[in-house]
C-alpha cells in the first residue's frame, strides 16, 4: 500500500513522515512537495519524492500516480486554498487514490473566510466519490512557544479572548493521528476533533507561562481593536490584516469554538495527548 503525503516538506508533513516510518517502509511513501530538494534525506532512505504544485494542476495526477491513500495537508495560501485543494482532490481521483485524509480546522462560522475554505474542501471530498476522513486540528500548542517568549519579555499577556478556552494540541500529536488514520482502518466518513488534553483560558495560560518561564506573567484584557494595533506594531502586518486575524480568532475563542476536548489523540494513537506545558518546557530546554 502506497501512502501519499502532500505538503511533505512542511513541519506537519515531516512529523507525519517520521511517525509513518516507524510503521511502514520508506519505499511505501510518496512525498509530494513544491521543493523536492528539501526532502533529500527521505529520498535517501527510499521514499519517492515528487514535485507537486497545487497551482499547476496539470502535473498533479502524474505526481500522485501509484498512491492508494493520501494525506492532504491544507496549504498556507489563505484565500487560494479552495481551488488548490480542489485541484489536488481531482488529481487524486484521476490517479486512482482510494482514500484521502484532510487536515481541516474547527469551523468559526459561515462568514469567516478561513472556515469557508475548509468547509468547501470538506464538501469537495464528500462529492469526490473517494473514501475520506476529516482531521480538525485545533490550534497548535507549538505556536505558543513564541507567545511565551513575548510574554516573558513583556511580563504580561494581552488578550481579547475574555474567558474563552482553547484545547491547544501539539503538532506532533496531529502528525501521529494523521499517520494512524493513514495506516489504519475504519476511519472512512469520519470527522475527528484533534485536541489537546486541557481547556485553557487566559488565566490558565498565564499560569502555565509563569510556571514554565519561572517569572510572573500577568493578564491584560483588551478589546479586539487594541489587540490588533499591538499585533500590527509588533509584527509589521498591516492593521487591517491584524484586525482580521485577531477578530476571527478571538471571536471564535470567546464563542467556544476551541473549547472542545476530545480523546481522539489517545484513542487513535494509543498515547495520551501532550499538554501545552510539556510542549513549552520541551522548547525551553532544546
Amino acid at each position: 500500500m502506497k501512502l501519499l503525503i502532500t505538503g511533505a516538506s512542511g513541519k506537519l508533513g515531516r512529523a507525519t513522515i517520521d511517525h509513518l516510518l516507524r510503521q511502514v517502509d520508506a519505499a511505501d511513501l510518496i512525498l509530494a512537495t513544491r521543493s523536492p530538494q528539501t526532502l533529500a534525506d527521505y529520498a535517501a532512505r527510499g521514499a519517492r519524492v515528487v514535485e507537486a504544485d497545487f497551482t499547476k494542476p496539470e502535473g498533479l495526477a502524474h505526481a500522485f500516480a501509484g498512491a492508494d491513500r493520501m494525506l492532504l495537508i491544507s496549504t498556507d495560501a489563505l484565500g487560494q486554498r479552495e481551488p488548490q485543494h480542489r485541484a489536488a482532490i481531482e488529481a487524486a481521483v484521476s490517479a486512482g487514490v482510494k482514500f484521502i485524509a484532510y487536515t481541516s480546522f474547527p469551523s468559526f462560522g459561515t462568514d469567516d473566510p478561513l472556515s469557508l475554505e475548509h468547509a468547501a474542501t470538506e464538501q469537495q471530498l464528500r462529492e469526490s466519490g473517494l473514501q475520506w476522513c476529516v482531521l480538525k486540528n485545533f490550534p497548535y500548542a507549538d505556536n505558543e512557544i513564541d507567545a511565551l517568549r513575548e510574554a516573558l519579555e513583556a511580563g504580561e499577556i494581552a488578550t481579547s479572548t475574555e474567558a474563552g478556552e482553547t484545547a491547544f494540541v501539539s503538532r506532533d500529536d496531529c502528525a501521529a493521528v494523521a499517520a494512524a488514520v493513514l495506516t489504519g482502518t475504519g476511519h472512512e466518513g469520519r470527522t475527528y476533533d484533534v485536541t489537546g488534553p486541557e481547556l485553557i483560558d487566559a488565566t490558565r495560560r498565564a499560569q502555565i507561562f509563569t510556571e514554565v518561564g519561572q517569572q510572573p506573567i500577568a493578564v491584560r484584557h483588551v478589546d479586539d481593536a487594541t489587540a490588533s494595533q499591538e499585533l500590527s506594531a509588533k509584527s509589521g502586518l498591516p492593521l487591517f490584516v491584524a484586525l482580521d486575524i485577531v477578530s476571527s480568532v478571538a471571536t471564535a475563542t470567546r464563542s467556544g469554538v476551541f473549547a472542545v476536548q476530545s480523546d481522539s489523540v489517545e484513542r487513535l494513537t494509543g498515547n495520551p495527548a501532550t499538554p501545552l506545558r510539556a510542549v513549552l518546557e520541551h522548547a525551553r530546554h532544546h
Side-chain angles (χ1 to χ4, degrees):
M1 184 171 63
K2 298 292 185 181
L3 307 177
L4 167 67
I5 298 91
T6 73
S9 57
K11 291 179 179 177
L12 179 60
R14 292 186 71 98
T16 303
I17 296 164
D18 290 339
H19 280 282
L20 286 170
L21 286 173
R22 297 169 194 154
Q23 306 172 57
V24 303
D25 292 335
D28 292 326
L29 300 182
I30 303 172
L31 311 180
T33 174
R34 288 174 298 177
S35 308
Q37 67 278 6
T38 62
L39 297 176
D41 50 338
Y42 294 116
R45 297 176 63 175
R48 177 181 151 208
V49 176
V50 297
E51 184 172 358
D53 186 336
F54 290 0
T55 65
K56 301 175 182 177
E58 63 278 359
L60 292 180
H62 177 72
F64 295 172
D68 300 297
R69 295 168 70 84
M70 170 177 168
L71 175 65
L72 175 56
I73 295 179
S74 55
T75 73
D76 57 4
L78 296 180
Q80 298 298 317
R81 281 171 160 166
E82 182 179 351
Q84 289 186 3
H85 294 165
R86 183 188 305 112
I89 293 168
E90 291 175 351
V93 172
S94 297
V97 174
K98 300 295 188 293
F99 172 89
I100 294 180
Y102 171 62
T103 63
S104 189
F105 197 68
S107 176
F108 287 13
T110 55
D111 60 347
D112 182 85
L114 180 62
S115 292
L116 290 174
E117 288 184 319
H118 284 300
T121 300
E122 291 176 23
Q123 185 63 26
Q124 289 161 15
L125 282 174
R126 286 190 288 269
E127 296 172 353
S128 68
L130 303 179
Q131 297 288 345
W132 55 268
C133 178
V134 171
L135 306 175
K136 289 187 178 289
N137 292 342
F138 272 56
Y140 284 156
D142 308 67
N143 291 341
E144 293 297 289
I145 294 169
D146 286 343
L148 170 62
R149 176 180 50 78
E150 293 166 2
L152 292 174
E153 292 173 356
E156 66 174 17
I157 296 170
T159 179
S160 61
T161 58
E162 299 176 356
E165 297 174 315
T166 299
F168 293 103
V169 64
S170 79
R171 183 185 287 110
D172 191 66
D173 282 346
C174 293
V177 165
V181 166
L182 271 186
T183 57
T185 58
H187 305 298
E188 294 79 5
R190 302 293 299 276
T191 295
Y192 296 116
D193 289 323
V194 185
T195 81
E198 181 182 5
L199 298 180
I200 295 172
D201 63 8
T203 300
R204 175 60 178 150
R205 188 167 167 244
Q207 179 186 4
I208 293 170
F209 282 13
T210 295
E211 293 168 354
V212 175
Q214 298 183 327
Q215 74 177 60
I217 301 296
V219 178
R220 176 165 57 93
H221 291 284
V222 298
D223 58 20
D224 287 352
T226 301
S228 302
Q229 290 167 355
E230 294 182 3
L231 174 61
S232 177
K234 180 173 57 183
S235 66
L237 288 170
L239 182 57
F240 75 92
V241 175
L243 181 59
D244 188 42
I245 293 171
V246 167
S247 61
S248 291
V249 174
T251 299
T253 305
R254 291 191 297 261
S255 62
V257 168
F258 304 131
V260 175
Q261 189 177 349
S262 79
D263 64 350
S264 294
V265 172
E266 185 162 12
R267 183 159 42 89
L268 295 171
T269 71
N271 296 310
T274 308
L276 171 61
R277 176 171 177 165
V279 172
L280 297 178
E281 287 179 334
H282 182 268
R284 293 279 289 175
H285 294 106
H286 292 82

